[in-house]
Amino acid sequence: MSILSSIGRIATRYAATRARYRSERALLSLPIELRKDIGWPEIVIDSQNGPRIHRAP
């Protein structure tokens, strides 16, 4: 395993995480009624971590 492959994996993981949070922020900015219409899970407000998506089991 070379250093370049390790850096590539880290960069890929970072890009995926960043895209997920960007999408989450965009969905959080939608009105509640619209989020319900598209089936987006409930949003739980946590005072320490801020808003997070709650996925029902």
Side-chain angles (χ1 to χ4, degrees), residues 27 30 33-40:
L27 288 168
L30 295 173
E33 297 81 20
L34 188 56
R35 284 185 288 203
K36 285 182 180 179
D37 288 345
I38 63 174
W40 190 250

Side-chain angles (χ1 to χ4, degrees), residues 24-54:
E24 187 175 309
R25 280 195 312 268
L27 288 168
L28 285 172
S29 70
L30 295 173
I32 293 173
E33 297 81 20
L34 188 56
R35 284 185 288 203
K36 285 182 180 179
D37 288 345
I38 63 174
W40 190 250
E42 178 185 350
I43 297 172
V44 177
I45 304 296
D46 182 3
S47 63
Q48 291 180 341
N49 299 325
R52 286 288 166 235
I53 302 304
H54 173 70

Side-chain angles (χ1 to χ4, degrees), residues 5-23:
S5 65
S6 297
I7 291 172
R9 274 196 311 277
I10 291 169
T12 301
R13 196 173 338 144
Y14 176 77
T17 301
R18 186 119 166 87
R20 186 180 76 239
Y21 283 124
R22 196 176 315 125
S23 299

